[in-house]
Amino acid sequence: MEDLTSPVVHTFRLLKWGRTLARHGALQGLERDRNTPLRLRRLLRLARLGARVPEAPRYAEAFTAIGPAAIKLGQTLATRPDLVGDAAAIDLLRLQDAVAPVPFAVIRAQMEGSFGRPLDQFYTHIEEAPIGAASIAQVHRAVTTEGRTVAVKVLRPGVEEEFARAIDTYEWAAAQIEPMGGEIARLQPRQVIEMFKRWTQRELNFTREAASASELAENMAAEPDFVVPAIDWQRTTGRVLTIEWIDGIKLSDRAALIAAGHDLPHLARVLVHAFLRQAIADGFFHADMHQGNLFALPGGRVAAIDFGIMGRIDRRARMWLAEILYGLITGNYRRVAEIHFEAQYVPSHHNVAEFATALRAVGEPMRGLPVKDMSIGMMLDGLFAITRDFDMVTQPHLLLLQKTMVMVEGVATGLDPDINLWETAGPFVEEWIRTELGPEAAVADRIVTDLRTLSRLPDLVRRIEARFPPPGGAPPAPPLKVIERVRIGGGWRYVAMALLGAAAGVAGLSAVQAW
């Protein structure tokens, strides 16, 4: 029965959300875009049936009105100007997931249920007023039984179920529209939702967040000026995170930083170097480095909090990225183009020389500017602009990195308007490229690769035998079907009837409320 009713449930949810988006004008761009499939445009028109659409879209307000899961999705889409457009991406950056706090009695019950013991066995005091309340959790200051001041992050009750329902519908909707082909298929909405799902699953599991903080702290031992607060593992569960209290000044409070005597250019350099070490050297980085999550500490140090969203990039992708950035800086557009083809970012039916010329149009204006005016954000905007012309498929594993690069640059320039990510990063990136791409590294990589290949041969033979058993053996299991599409014909007529019926009901309800 679940499979039979699921499309109806998803349809009504989408209609409800679509009506909210339509009332805020958030569907206009997608509906008017000539690349939007005709069938999808028809559904969008149906969703706004009878709605009063404002002239200027209010994307952030629309996602806020839908709820916590939509807020998180909107924050994800803010990193995708190629998907939602520049205007929508800029507006979505305003999204703040600050919400009304849950009463402390509810929070206490959540904590004691998670610990399985009374709170006085863990803390001598907990401030009932939260220091922050967001869509997923709220944070309280507390003192442990050992006398240490800590921050306690508690999952909001019911949020797991709410996110699970919303993501289930996001996945279903993406599975319906991606096979429509064209621009929709190139942007890979299923991959986008899958990445969003992984992000939220990590954010909803505080032991995962604690493990991320612990791993980042180990990796950043080489950057003593970048501080990761210590995890209190004895007071951490899947729904409660206890972490060292950070007593610093937010990097967003420029006046307070100056009053405290901090060297702002130094703080900016610390932040940039910390990000580069995380992203390029380690391939594991804090992916939510906005001003509210960064604090200045005495001694010119920078501390980070909130490790729910982390990014990870494998070594090969980091090598490609480093070569792309270096090629754009030095003007070696042919090599940058070749890397895009080697990495299969651009389909092979396109011409390398033509793509190199398009890259030149991105890189030359940037190279012609004074050093302090060169911007990674500008470079990414230029690259996004040519993706459609060359059928470049979205690379989900790079989305977080692109978002974080722009975010870090914005925070750094807020501290020091004359800083430039290229100039500050230059020595670090050049040394990493020399180490990773030099002849010694190439020889070492080849030896390691060959040895790993030899070690996998026995397992490869066993898998071949399992895949092609001798006569009489069991046949291979068929692939599992993940999400069944509603087919054109009977299926879409069924969905259309459901939409029309729901639209009539919503329109009638709106009329009654207006009356």
Side-chain angles (χ1 to χ4, degrees):
M1 182 62 69
E2 176 67 23
D3 291 339
L4 293 175
T5 59
S6 188
V8 178
V9 173
H10 293 316
T11 299
F12 275 91
R13 284 180 190 163
L14 290 170
L15 177 64
K16 180 181 177 182
W17 299 336
R19 295 286 297 178
T20 302
L21 292 170
R23 285 197 299 271
H24 291 82
L27 297 179
Q28 294 180 58
L30 187 59
E31 186 179 334
R32 295 170 182 172
D33 192 330
R34 59 183 178 83
N35 294 297
T36 302
L38 179 60
R39 281 170 287 164
L40 182 56
R41 283 206 296 269
R42 288 171 179 166
L43 291 175
L44 294 175
R45 293 192 192 106
L46 198 61
R48 67 169 172 81
L49 184 65
R52 296 180 180 178
V53 180
E55 292 184 8
R58 300 191 296 266
Y59 300 99
E61 293 177 20
F63 280 82
T64 300
I66 293 173
I71 290 173
K72 287 297 179 184
L73 179 62
Q75 291 171 342
T76 303
L77 295 176
T79 70
R80 297 295 311 278
D82 60 323
L83 182 62
V84 299
D86 291 334
I90 292 172
D91 191 71
L92 288 171
L93 287 173
R94 299 188 300 109
L95 276 175
Q96 300 292 325
D97 55 357
V99 297
V102 175
F104 184 71
V106 177
I107 291 298
R108 172 181 286 275
Q110 174 86 322
M111 295 175 68
E112 291 183 339
S114 185
F115 287 137
R117 285 185 285 171
L119 290 190
D120 57 14
Q121 295 187 20
F122 298 91
Y123 312 97
T124 58
H125 174 70
I126 301 179
E127 294 182 4
E128 295 192 6
I131 59 174
S135 58
I136 286 180
Q138 62 189 53
V139 181
H140 295 257
R141 180 158 52 184
V143 178
T144 68
T145 51
E146 294 86 8
R148 290 179 288 105
T149 302
V150 293
V152 184
K153 185 175 181 180
V154 186
L155 195 70
R156 296 172 72 95
V159 74
E160 295 161 297
E161 295 77 9
E162 181 177 348
F163 269 76
R165 287 192 298 269
I167 292 173
D168 191 32
T169 296
Y170 297 160
E171 288 180 315
W172 183 85
Q176 308 309 310
I177 65 173
E178 186 167 301
M180 293 179 182
E183 183 72 358
I184 291 290
R186 185 185 73 81
L187 296 173
Q188 300 190 97
R190 296 190 72 179
Q191 287 274 16
V192 173
I193 297 303
E194 179 61 28
M195 173 164 283
F196 171 70
K197 181 179 180 179
R198 290 200 300 270
W199 293 355
T200 54
Q201 285 176 339
R202 186 180 301 157
E203 282 196 272
L204 293 171
N205 185 335
F206 289 165
T207 55
R208 290 277 302 276
E209 180 175 343
S212 295
S214 177
E215 181 178 353
L216 185 64
E218 290 182 5
N219 291 347
M220 294 304 293
E223 296 284 341
D225 286 340
F226 189 83
V227 177
V228 178
I231 300 296
D232 187 336
W233 286 102
Q234 304 307 313
R235 296 173 174 85
T236 294
T237 68
R239 297 179 178 180
V240 180
L241 170 65
T242 303
I243 193 168
E244 175 188 359
W245 178 262
I246 293 295
D247 193 7
I249 302 173
K250 284 188 177 183
L251 295 192
S252 57
D253 195 346
R254 184 181 177 87
L257 293 173
I258 294 174
H262 283 287
D263 182 346
L264 302 193
H266 170 75
L267 295 176
R269 289 192 298 272
V270 169
L271 178 63
V272 170
H273 278 282
F275 165 69
L276 290 170
R277 180 167 297 281
Q278 293 172 35
I280 295 180
D282 300 323
F284 183 67
F285 59 95
H286 191 309
D288 201 17
M289 296 176 72
H290 61 73
Q291 292 176 320
N293 284 340
L294 298 166
F295 295 80
L297 303 180
R301 296 173 299 154
V302 174
I305 62 170
D306 196 353
F307 307 94
I309 304 177
M310 305 294 291
R312 197 180 293 276
I313 313 173
D314 63 33
R315 184 170 176 271
R316 177 176 294 182
R318 283 183 281 140
M319 291 171 64
W320 281 330
L321 177 68
E323 282 204 86
I324 288 171
L325 296 178
Y326 192 71
L328 287 173
I329 295 171
T330 59
N332 189 353
Y333 304 112
R334 175 76 186 196
R335 179 56 188 151
V336 175
E338 290 171 349
I339 293 168
H340 277 77
F341 279 79
E342 291 172 11
Q344 299 180 356
Y345 293 161
V346 178
S348 59
H349 64 265
H350 284 287
N351 184 278
V352 175
E354 287 293 326
F355 187 61
T357 301
L359 289 169
R360 181 179 294 274
V362 175
E364 284 302 302
M366 182 180 68
R367 294 182 66 224
L369 291 174
V371 172
K372 71 182 183 66
D373 293 331
M374 294 167 62
S375 166
I376 280 189
M378 181 189 305
M379 180 203 71
L380 291 177
D381 285 344
L383 289 176
F384 278 139
I386 65 174
T387 58
R388 180 176 296 163
D389 294 338
F390 289 89
D391 302 315
M392 290 175 62
V393 176
T394 298
Q395 302 300 321
H397 66 286
L398 296 180
L399 296 181
L400 273 179
L401 181 67
Q402 294 167 350
K403 164 201 166 186
T404 309
M405 288 172 71
V406 175
M407 190 179 294
V408 168
E409 185 177 48
V411 176
T413 53
L415 294 169
D416 179 11
D418 292 328
I419 195 174
N420 173 259
L421 211 56
W422 301 122
E423 187 179 52
T424 307
F428 184 93
V429 175
E430 288 176 8
E431 175 62 22
W432 189 85
I433 290 176
R434 186 192 68 77
T435 303
E436 295 295 320
L437 304 181
E440 300 91 345
V443 172
D445 281 350
R446 183 56 185 267
I447 292 173
V448 171
T449 300
D450 290 347
L451 288 174
R452 286 177 176 170
T453 300
L454 288 173
S455 69
R456 288 196 300 265
L457 281 177
D459 184 59
L460 176 63
V461 172
R462 284 191 291 270
R463 282 189 281 124
I464 291 174
E465 290 178 343
R467 181 69 177 80
F468 300 100
L480 297 176
K481 181 168 56 179
V482 179
I483 297 176
E484 185 175 357
R485 241 187 117 211
V486 176
R487 300 296 176 185
I488 297 173
W492 276 106
R493 283 197 296 270
Y494 170 72
V495 173
M497 289 175 62
L499 282 168
L500 285 170
V506 173
L509 179 60
S510 300
V512 171
Q513 290 174 336
W515 182 81

